[in-house]
Amino acid sequence: MDYITKPEIMTAENQRKMIFSLKKAYPFIGLHVIGKSLCQRGIFSVSIGKSDNPLLIAAGFHGQEWLTSLLALRFAEVLLRAKTRKTLIWGIDPCCIKREIIIVPCVNPDGVQIAINGIDGAGRFSETVCAISSASDEKWSANARGVDINHNFDAGWQKLREMEIDSGILGPAPRRYGGFMPESEPETSALISLCKMRRPRCALALHSQGEEIFWEYGQRRPPRSEEIAKILAAASGYSLVENSGLASHGGFKDWFIEFFDKPAFTVEIGRGENPLPLSDLDGILEHALPLLTLAAVL
């Protein structure tokens, strides 16, 4: 396919270029800035269709997982092309997708920029990132002040913070530090505000890696969650797994399930070591396309 979203490293500049290329090619899509990061980078949403009951797909929570952002934009383009050309996606007529799809390609643009460009991507937080990085040999996945966005949501946050401390995570770090309080970060607040305003019927959080789907939060299993999870797993070949360890609380999927009592899924794309190489994208899209399309239909 001749993608508008060319397979490029997901820098902030390239992300903007891809998003605005989509808007130029398909002027009817919605394009909004739902918030700004610590470094004042825009956090965009792209919406396809209109309804009061949308599907939300969010990606780019972690700096090293920028391939999820490119996957989300690729899916948007494949869907838009199929709708305008009246062709099928994985055997599904896109006219069957009646509900709006809202895509947030990159929740943590600063983290992605730092992961790709080092401290040069941290702007006024460069000294902070430098100090944190010098004390750790881990790759950067957090936001610009060392908070892991997917540990910062208000779902079992205090319990997660205690687990972090027990694991030796005492303050800002390249990954897995949940902040000084839940929802402390502008990136977290932007996604929460969008959800409270639009109240999606279902949410997918794209992460990497492992080819796994997380679908529950503790004992909370919203109606149809297990049914949808099994369908998505069968379509993609991904495995259904349960939360464990430091992935047990504080995530977007956890908050969404607890706050709305609606289905939400963390989808871990691909296999390997983050950041996954750009060359993996086509293979990942092959597995993820039926999953994302069905999520829009169900």
Side-chain angles (χ1 to χ4, degrees):
M1 291 184 181
D2 181 23
Y3 290 102
I4 292 171
T5 49
K6 296 294 192 299
E8 298 179 280
I9 299 294
M10 187 52 64
T11 61
E13 179 183 352
N14 284 343
Q15 181 195 179
R16 287 178 61 88
K17 181 171 67 176
M18 292 173 189
I19 290 172
F20 283 99
S21 291
L22 279 177
K23 178 65 174 176
K24 182 178 179 180
Y26 304 98
F28 55 85
I29 67 175
L31 177 57
H32 303 280
V33 177
I34 64 170
K36 290 191 174 181
S37 68
L38 284 168
C39 294
Q40 297 300 296
R41 294 184 173 101
I43 301 171
F44 293 92
S45 73
V46 175
S47 56
I48 302 170
K50 294 181 179 180
S51 79
D52 295 327
N53 202 15
L55 166 69
L56 174 66
I57 300 173
F61 288 84
H62 292 137
Q64 298 294 329
E65 300 177 11
W66 55 264
L67 205 69
T68 62
S69 300
L70 191 50
L71 174 66
L73 289 172
R74 277 278 185 96
F75 171 65
E77 185 179 20
V78 169
L79 177 59
L80 287 164
R81 179 177 283 122
K83 278 180 170 289
T84 54
R85 296 183 181 178
K86 302 187 185 308
T87 56
L88 302 181
I89 305 176
W90 198 66
I92 295 173
D93 185 343
C95 292
C96 295
I97 302 174
K98 303 298 184 182
R99 298 184 178 94
E100 181 179 3
I101 300 172
I102 302 173
I103 297 173
V104 180
C106 192
V107 176
N108 180 16
D110 295 348
V112 169
Q113 198 75 359
I114 294 165
I116 294 171
N117 293 326
I119 60 172
D120 290 341
R124 65 188 180 91
F125 291 89
S126 58
E127 290 186 7
T128 299
V129 171
C130 185
I132 295 170
S133 297
S134 65
S136 173
D137 58 1
E138 292 197 271
K139 295 179 179 178
W140 195 272
S141 283
N143 73 351
R145 61 178 164 209
V147 175
D148 188 322
I149 298 302
N150 211 45
H151 280 216
N152 192 235
F153 290 87
D154 193 8
W157 182 90
Q158 186 60 50
K159 185 179 296 184
L160 175 62
R161 185 70 201 107
E162 293 168 3
M163 295 169 67
E164 290 171 354
I165 292 170
D166 288 344
S167 298
I169 304 168
L170 306 180
R175 59 195 293 264
R176 291 188 167 181
Y177 169 62
F180 65 90
M181 61 180 289
E183 301 176 19
S184 61
E185 306 308 297
E187 298 89 350
T188 313
S189 297
L191 191 56
I192 287 175
S193 295
L194 174 67
C195 289
K196 288 182 176 179
M197 179 175 65
R198 297 304 318 278
R199 305 187 72 83
R201 64 185 174 87
C202 177
L204 298 181
L206 303 184
H207 289 261
S208 63
Q209 47 75 42
E211 297 188 349
E212 298 172 332
I213 300 172
F214 296 83
W215 63 279
E216 56 191 345
Y217 176 47
Q219 300 303 310
R220 297 177 179 84
R221 299 180 175 186
R224 296 191 68 218
S225 288
E226 186 171 10
E227 173 192 353
I228 295 173
K230 288 180 178 178
I231 293 172
L232 299 183
S236 61
Y238 286 9
S239 302
L240 297 183
V241 292
E242 298 179 358
N243 288 359
S244 62
L246 290 176
S248 298
H249 303 282
F252 170 65
K253 179 263 296 173
D254 309 327
W255 172 83
F256 191 94
I257 289 174
E258 186 168 79
F259 188 86
F260 290 112
D261 192 31
K262 293 179 180 179
F265 308 93
T266 295
V267 179
E268 299 278 357
I269 67 166
R271 286 187 181 275
E273 182 179 346
N274 288 323
L276 296 176
L278 199 56
S279 57
D280 285 4
L281 183 60
D282 286 341
I284 289 171
L285 180 64
E286 184 178 347
H287 286 277
L289 186 57
L291 182 156
L292 297 170
T293 306
L294 285 172
V297 173
L298 294 171

